[in-house]
Amino acid sequence: MRAAVAGRLGALVVVTLVASALAACTGATSAATTTSPPATASLARPTSAAATPSTSSRSALPPSGPATGGAPLVKQTAYVLGNVQGHLRMVHPDGTGGRILVPSVDVLGESNGVIVGDWSPDGRRVAFTRVHRDVQPFTASQWVAMSDGSGAREVVPCAPPCLRAGLGAFSPRGDQLAYAITELDAAGTRVTRNAVEVVTLATGRRRVVAETREPLVEFAFPRWSPDGRRLVVQVTHWPAGAAPATAPVSGSPRIAVLDLARPKTQVPRVLAPGLPGTYPDWSRKTDTIVFSTNDPDVVNGDVEHDLWTVRPDGTRLRQVTHLQQPALAMHPTWTPDGTILFEHCAAMPACYLAYASADGSVVQTPQDLQAVWPRAKPGS
């Protein structure tokens, strides 16, 4: 039963995150092995994971399609943080100049791994999730280090009843991290708590932003608003009557906003209820949120595989990419100047770093670098 719980939770945060990173970076086939995750009692479950918004809410595709040529939207001398060949690396967008970012804890040949990095606003520090695969079920904890790899330290340990803590994001001032955490019961057979928390790095003080005691809704990938007062998160509802751990289970993910001033029992405010929503990021330049509509490890079925943007109040929902299956776009993130970095997969698992303008008028899909969860270094 412990394996079943770990399998379902891992679909979004631990097991499948590692599997996805390794598969995307090494060319291995990515297979989701999901089984059972956490809930927000007050967040109504969507009626359909594949529902789409009305035609009037969609942006029109230019008659000639997006521009694909010209100078790269992202400087090739910039640095990107991402999982490359199974390790967290800092690398140029064209694939050159790469190095393992934190070799002291991300050691070649070891079973443990480092995933899902984030830059501090000044680019001097990095946050990352360390996955501990030498224990069963897999666990994960939140770490930070200097951008040269020195000074790595665990800022959110994960000991029982914690199953995983991670997917952290720096606050706009760089003094706090938001992260997701999941806890199990004493027997390790049932999820008892899932939450989004914030830790103050100078003191280690932790506070709960939102939490649930139900086992079928999961928080993941928190990202800060420019003013530091809100978070956008991925909220995934899992179906009741879980399938065996070896069978894929389709979740219903949505993106939603949390307010740091509200109590931890708050209802996450869903922004685009008619669309699946995964991997959100909040632009500090334009106050706009980008997200993808599919994650092959969470959403099954014939759904859209594109990027969208939306304002924090739920208005101005706009389609950025217009891909034809089996192609998909995922793991979007904003650069400091307002360009979108993302993974473009012509067909899984062949996924490469790609760029898009915020309005989708330019979409560039070079096949230079296979990198999972890319983040552009501020100021590079």
Side-chain angles (χ1 to χ4, degrees):
M1 183 63 178
R2 287 171 68 88
V5 172
R8 178 58 125 2
L9 287 170
L12 193 55
V13 204
V14 181
V15 181
T16 305
L17 287 183
V18 178
S20 298
L22 296 178
C25 297
T26 62
T29 300
S30 176
T33 57
T34 61
T35 11
S36 161
T40 302
S42 51
L43 179 60
R45 182 173 300 169
T47 57
S48 171
T52 55
S54 65
T55 304
S56 62
S57 69
R58 298 168 179 263
S59 62
L61 177 66
S64 59
T68 58
L73 292 175
V74 175
K75 293 188 299 182
Q76 301 302 285
T77 56
Y79 278 106
V80 173
L81 187 65
N83 280 86
V84 181
Q85 297 175 349
H87 294 271
L88 186 65
R89 300 176 188 259
M90 187 169 75
V91 62
H92 294 307
D94 62 3
T96 63
R99 65 174 175 84
I100 294 178
L101 191 68
V102 281
S104 62
V105 294
D106 194 6
V107 180
L108 288 170
E110 285 197 357
S111 60
N112 294 333
V114 171
I115 60 173
V116 192
D118 189 39
W119 296 101
S120 63
D122 60 7
R124 298 177 61 188
R125 292 169 296 160
V126 293
F128 56 91
T129 301
R130 189 181 189 196
V131 179
H132 306 272
R133 284 172 281 183
D134 52 1
V135 296
Q136 292 293 333
F138 296 111
T139 63
S141 56
Q142 184 64 55
W143 290 60
V144 296
M146 301 303 294
S147 60
D148 64 1
S150 65
R153 64 186 180 97
E154 190 177 46
V155 294
V156 184
C158 189
C162 174
L163 174 64
R164 56 87 179 157
L167 311 178
F170 277 102
S171 65
R173 293 172 55 186
D175 59 335
Q176 296 180 311
L177 280 179
Y179 59 93
I181 185 168
T182 294
E183 295 177 353
L184 302 180
D185 61 9
T189 60
R190 186 174 63 89
V191 172
T192 58
R193 178 176 179 266
N194 194 54
V196 174
E197 298 182 350
V198 169
V199 60
T200 300
L201 296 175
T203 64
R205 180 178 177 272
R206 294 161 59 172
R207 57 167 293 205
V208 179
V209 178
E211 71 175 5
T212 174
R213 299 287 177 173
E214 298 185 21
L216 294 176
V217 173
E218 188 170 31
F219 298 120
F221 301 103
R223 303 292 293 175
W224 295 79
S225 65
D227 61 10
R229 297 178 180 178
R230 293 161 294 167
L231 296 168
V232 62
V233 297
Q234 176 179 325
V235 184
T236 301
H237 291 262
W238 297 94
T246 55
V249 176
S250 181
S252 299
R254 295 294 186 271
I255 59 166
V257 171
L258 300 171
D259 190 328
L260 273 70
R262 298 184 64 193
K264 63 185 181 182
T265 55
Q266 65 180 289
V267 180
R269 178 168 53 84
V270 176
L271 294 183
L275 280 173
T278 60
Y279 305 110
D281 194 24
W282 203 322
S283 173
R284 294 176 185 171
K285 179 180 180 180
T286 64
D287 197 27
T288 302
I289 294 164
V290 65
F291 64 98
S292 55
T293 54
N294 193 36
D295 174 350
D297 294 320
V298 178
V299 181
N300 292 331
D302 186 17
V303 298
E304 294 184 75
H305 296 180
D306 282 296
L307 303 183
W308 292 68
T309 58
V310 66
R311 297 288 293 175
D313 61 1
T315 63
R316 302 185 191 177
L317 182 65
R318 182 185 188 111
Q319 189 171 353
V320 177
T321 61
H322 299 75
L323 302 180
Q324 300 297 315
Q325 292 186 358
L328 62 87
M330 60 183 182
H331 299 150
T333 182
W334 294 102
T335 65
D337 68 358
T339 296
I340 300 171
L341 288 184
F342 67 99
E343 286 179 66
H344 173 259
C345 308
M348 292 291 291
C351 302
Y352 293 86
L353 185 68
Y355 329 125
S357 58
D359 62 1
S361 61
V362 180
V363 177
Q364 298 171 336
T365 58
Q367 295 188 356
D368 296 326
L369 176 64
Q370 287 187 286
V372 184
W373 302 294
R375 301 282 184 207
K377 183 179 182 181
S380 67

